[in-house]
């Protein structure tokens, strides 16, 4: 069915919000784009004249598509090579969605996206719609075909799980840069002690290579083990440069609202390391090196002014 220009415009107006919802639900920009495109196809095939509230209709279609995707993704991730981590997005990416409140910023933080993987698909949907987009419980119930009371119970359960798993400290851009500068200085010092001092005693380090880039299948745990691993990871070598196609410039930036290091080779993002910071220090170092999950970041990086250049080159 051919859409009128106004019908297309209405969808395009809703697209940024739909993409932001889908990204939070799926943890993948590529999958979020696919879900939004499938929602458009459903919109194109619908009898739009009979849809009373188009925005609500689009949200319901998208959310249920994402729920189906999450259910199948759980089975796929059981066979995923190594650790599965969400796709990080560089700050300024429209898919990050609203960031006016602390709740909205936290809902898209890398630490919370990791925690959301532990929730059931329905818990994740209720949490995202309520926490990040402030949907009333009544509308959430209609979107998910559940009672309002059930939706409230699911929300409180999901929020409790997320709250128990994070003690993240929110930092501004200047503080994020200082944290990255200190971290890189310690990581490239060739010694473990400077890193140990920055890490919490229960710090963890994990990477996602998707079976395409070497990454340890099991997380490193404890400050000493993490520091030893990071010392080797940030040690320059000809073999590493040959593997990734050249010397990598290491830039301080923010991703998903938190301090991050972007590794760039000839304009191509080859890795993003997100640092989870608490009042006690760095509690988690999560590195995304799966090239499939860095395509959007590379596009975003091309439109970004890196400022003074890399902090160092490895």
């Amino acid at each position: 069915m051919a859409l009128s220009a106004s019908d297309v415009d209405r969808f395009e107006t809703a697209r940024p919000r739909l993409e932001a919802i889908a990204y939070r639900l799926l943890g993948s920009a590529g999958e979020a784009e696919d879900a939004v495109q499938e929602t458009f196809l459903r919109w194109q095939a619908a009898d739009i004249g009979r849809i009373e509230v188009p925005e609500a209709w689009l949200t319901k279609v998208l959310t249920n598509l994402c729920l189906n995707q999450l259910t199948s993704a759980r089975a796929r991730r059981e066979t995923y090579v190594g650790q599965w981590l969400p796709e990080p997005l560089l700050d300024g990416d429209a898919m990050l969605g609203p960031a006016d409140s602390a709740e909205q910023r936290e809902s898209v933080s890398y630490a919370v996206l990791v925690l959301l993987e532990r929730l059931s698909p329905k818990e994740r949907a209720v949490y995202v719609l309520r926490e990040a987009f402030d949907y009333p419980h009544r509308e959430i119930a209609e979107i998910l075909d559940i009672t309002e009371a059930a939706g409230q119970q699911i929300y409180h359960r999901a929020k409790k799980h997320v709250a128990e798993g994070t003690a993240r400290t929110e930092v501004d851009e200047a503080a994020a840069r200082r944290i990255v500068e200190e971290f890189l200085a310690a990581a490239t010092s060739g010694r473990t002690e400077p890193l140990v001092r920055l890490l919490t005693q229960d710090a963890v380090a994990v990477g996602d290579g998707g079976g395409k880039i070497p990454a340890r299948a099991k997380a490193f745990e404890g400050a000493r083990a993490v520091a030893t691993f990071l010392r080797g990871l940030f040690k320059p070598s000809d073999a590493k440069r040959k593997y990734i196609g050249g010397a990598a410039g290491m830039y301080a930036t923010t991703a998903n609202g938190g301090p991050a290091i972007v590794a760039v080779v000839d304009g191509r993002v080859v890795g993003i390391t997100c640092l989870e910071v608490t009042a006690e220090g760095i509690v988690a170092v999560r590195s995304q090196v799966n090239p499939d999950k860095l395509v959007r970041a590379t596009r975003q990086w091309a439109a970004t002014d890196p400022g003074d250049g890399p902090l160092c080159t490895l």
Side-chain angles (χ1 to χ4, degrees):
M1 183 182 296
L3 294 178
S4 68
S6 63
D7 291 334
V8 173
D9 288 344
R10 177 168 282 174
F11 184 88
E12 291 305 320
T13 299
R15 184 185 289 274
R17 178 177 57 84
L18 296 175
E19 287 189 342
I21 292 172
Y23 172 67
R24 283 169 166 83
L25 288 177
L26 300 173
S28 164
E31 291 181 2
E33 289 174 339
D34 291 343
V36 172
Q37 184 58 28
E38 180 60 31
T39 302
F40 176 75
L41 295 178
R42 303 285 180 93
W43 174 249
Q44 189 176 38
D47 185 352
I48 294 176
R50 300 184 64 180
I51 298 175
E52 294 182 4
V53 186
E55 290 73 16
W57 186 93
L58 290 170
T59 302
K60 181 168 185 172
V61 170
L62 174 80
T63 301
N64 283 283
L65 285 170
C66 289
L67 286 175
N68 292 337
Q69 180 77 1
L70 283 170
T71 301
S72 61
R74 287 192 165 208
R76 290 201 311 275
R77 286 170 193 171
E78 289 179 0
T79 59
Y80 191 83
V81 179
Q83 295 276 345
W84 190 97
L85 289 175
E87 179 176 347
L89 296 182
L90 301 180
D91 278 14
D93 193 314
M95 194 175 279
L96 290 170
D100 299 325
S101 68
E103 291 79 10
Q104 289 172 335
R105 292 189 293 274
E106 176 150 298
S107 72
V108 80
S109 71
Y110 206 65
V112 168
L113 287 181
V114 171
L115 287 170
L116 291 181
E117 288 295 310
R118 304 177 187 177
L119 303 182
S120 71
K122 192 161 288 186
E123 286 175 336
R124 187 165 183 164
V126 171
Y127 180 86
V128 166
L129 292 172
R130 179 65 180 167
E131 199 76 358
F133 297 90
D134 202 27
Y135 275 82
H137 285 294
R138 176 182 54 79
E139 292 186 24
I140 294 173
E142 292 173 355
I143 289 169
L144 298 176
D145 292 324
I146 57 177
T147 66
E148 186 172 343
Q152 289 177 329
Q153 289 179 346
I154 292 171
Y155 169 67
H156 290 304
R157 186 166 64 242
K159 189 170 183 178
K160 181 181 178 182
H161 288 328
V162 172
E164 288 173 348
T166 182
R168 174 177 172 266
T169 299
E170 193 169 358
V171 297
D172 60 24
E173 188 173 347
R177 182 177 180 86
R178 289 195 299 272
I179 290 168
V180 170
E181 288 174 346
E182 290 181 13
F183 177 83
L184 272 178
T188 56
S189 69
R191 297 180 295 120
T192 59
E193 289 306 321
L195 278 166
V196 171
R197 287 194 292 269
L198 293 178
L199 300 166
T200 62
Q201 285 303 306
D202 58 350
V204 297
V206 61
D208 178 351
K212 300 181 178 182
I213 299 294
R216 180 180 163 92
K218 186 177 179 181
F220 289 90
E221 299 180 356
R224 182 69 56 179
V226 170
T228 302
F229 162 68
L230 292 173
R231 184 188 63 188
L233 181 67
F234 284 89
K235 182 178 181 180
S237 74
D238 291 338
K240 290 178 185 176
R241 291 176 175 178
K242 182 178 180 180
Y243 193 85
I244 62 175
M250 311 300 284
Y251 293 83
T253 188
T254 49
N256 293 78
I261 303 160
V262 178
V264 182
V265 176
D266 295 331
R268 175 173 53 92
V269 175
V270 297
I272 299 177
T273 298
C274 298
L275 306 179
E276 183 181 347
V277 181
T278 68
E280 289 74 34
I282 298 172
V283 70
V285 181
R286 301 183 178 97
S287 298
Q288 182 56 260
V289 293
N290 183 344
D292 294 342
K293 298 182 183 180
L294 297 171
V295 174
R296 187 180 179 94
T298 294
R299 293 202 305 265
Q300 183 74 6
W301 185 257
T304 301
D305 180 5
D308 299 329
L311 293 176
C312 63
T313 303
L314 301 181

